[in-house]
Amino acid sequence: MAEENKGGIVETIKTVFWALVIAGVFRTFLFQPFWIPSGSMKDTLLIGDFLFVNKMAYGYSYASCPSLPFMGVDAKDLCGWADGDNTRLLGSEPKRGDVVVFRHPVHGSDFIKRLVGLPGDRIQMKGGLLHINGTAVKVQRDGSFEETAAPQGPQQLRPRCHNAPVGEGATCVKEKYIETLPGGVSHSILNISSQGSDNTPVYTVPAGHYFFMGDNRDNSSDSRVPNISGGVGFVPYENLIGRADRVMFSSAGRSMLFFWTWRGDRFFKAID
């Protein structure tokens, strides 16, 4: 009996070990889970959306290694040996308009934004309108985006509203537009107010780097602010983790376990 128990324990350990190996391979080389923590990509992505990032889309670099923040382990701790040359194994170029998860160039946190500027592009915001290589992109009014003025998600973030001030539980409104980028990708963007990030200098994207912006334009920390000043700045090619293609699951509550807060209309929703 003792030998049988010992054999059962050994088999259990083997099963757990191989399960962890398979999960590690899946997460490192194929898809990485990502939970949307903020409203910077509304209304394309909402707080509480859960998705898998396609790591095969752009090939592999040090950023493809998983980070384990609960253990204090970053991707550079595991794969730092592959960092520094701004290249990728089996690399493919991202396309303008892709929604991309990437490592912040300074502190290594995972960010998700839309790629609007390719290497060599001149990017500028003028009067809240995106200009690429001296030409304003096409935008068309598309009504409004409405949500409840209340704390959202695990961090209990409160939305900013175009119709502010808004009382607790009232309707928070943002202006909504459809923006069409060069190449034909169309997507939703939101406007809240006139602010400093609506007018910027001209940014020339360096070779091997990309320029990212959030779709919720007035509530996004992105490439419009240099990373040395707390923003994102230009993002190196090797920092790209993968492309976000589809929302798999979505919860409007503080936890995914609160089933009464699940957004059934967002399950398996394609990301435009």
Side-chain angles (χ1 to χ4, degrees):
M1 182 66 70
E3 288 297 323
E4 291 181 3
N5 289 340
K6 182 177 179 181
I9 293 172
V10 170
E11 288 303 314
T12 299
I13 292 174
K14 286 182 178 178
T15 300
V16 172
F17 171 78
W18 285 113
L20 291 174
V21 169
I22 292 170
V25 170
F26 182 87
R27 195 176 192 278
T28 301
F29 295 105
L30 302 177
F31 299 95
Q32 176 175 316
F34 191 84
W35 189 276
I36 303 300
S38 75
S40 69
M41 283 294 292
K42 291 178 180 177
D43 65 333
T44 304
L45 297 171
L46 304 181
I47 294 175
D49 281 352
F50 178 81
L51 49 89
F52 283 101
V53 180
N54 181 358
K55 290 189 171 185
M56 299 175 286
Y58 310 132
Y60 305 95
S61 70
Y62 90 91
S64 302
C65 277
S67 59
L68 306 170
F70 60 93
M71 297 178 61
V73 177
D74 182 72
K76 285 190 177 182
D77 296 326
L78 298 175
C79 298
W81 54 270
D83 180 24
D85 58 3
N86 204 24
T87 61
R88 307 181 72 87
L89 179 65
L90 303 176
S92 297
E93 296 293 330
K95 296 181 175 62
R96 194 192 312 275
D98 284 358
V99 176
V100 181
V101 174
F102 58 88
R103 303 272 186 216
H104 189 283
V106 175
H107 53 66
S109 298
D110 292 349
F111 273 53
I112 185 166
K113 307 287 180 184
R114 189 176 299 275
L115 194 162
V116 300
L118 302 174
D121 281 346
R122 290 174 288 109
I123 306 295
Q124 184 179 23
M125 291 293 290
K126 296 170 65 175
L129 189 61
L130 174 62
H131 289 65
I132 300 177
N133 296 324
T135 301
V137 301
K138 179 183 176 182
V139 295
Q140 180 179 353
R141 186 65 189 267
D142 189 38
S144 300
F145 171 71
E146 298 184 358
E147 58 187 335
T148 302
Q152 299 177 354
Q155 299 180 44
Q156 292 292 274
L157 301 175
R158 293 178 178 273
R160 293 177 57 205
C161 312
H162 180 72
N163 59 328
V166 178
E168 185 78 10
T171 300
C172 174
V173 178
K174 297 175 178 63
E175 295 178 340
K176 183 178 177 182
Y177 297 84
I178 299 299
E179 178 179 84
T180 301
L181 299 171
V185 173
S186 295
H187 61 98
S188 173
I189 59 171
L190 301 181
N191 176 66
I192 301 173
S193 64
S194 296
Q195 56 187 53
S197 57
D198 288 335
N199 294 281
T200 71
V202 175
Y203 300 101
T204 301
V205 185
H209 291 70
Y210 298 91
F211 195 98
F212 290 91
M213 293 177 64
D215 290 348
N216 190 2
R217 290 285 163 82
D218 294 333
N219 196 50
S220 175
S221 175
D222 50 39
S223 293
R224 287 173 287 180
V225 178
N227 55 51
I228 59 174
S229 301
V232 171
F234 303 122
V235 178
Y237 181 43
E238 66 182 359
N239 282 46
L240 308 187
I241 295 174
R243 187 182 65 224
D245 295 324
R246 189 173 297 272
V247 174
M248 304 303 294
F249 170 86
S250 186
S251 172
R254 297 188 65 176
S255 168
M256 64 181 294
L257 300 178
F258 296 172
F259 63 88
W260 57 91
T261 67
W262 292 355
R263 304 182 182 107
D265 62 331
R266 296 188 67 78
F267 285 23
F268 309 110
K269 178 180 174 62
I271 297 172
D272 297 323

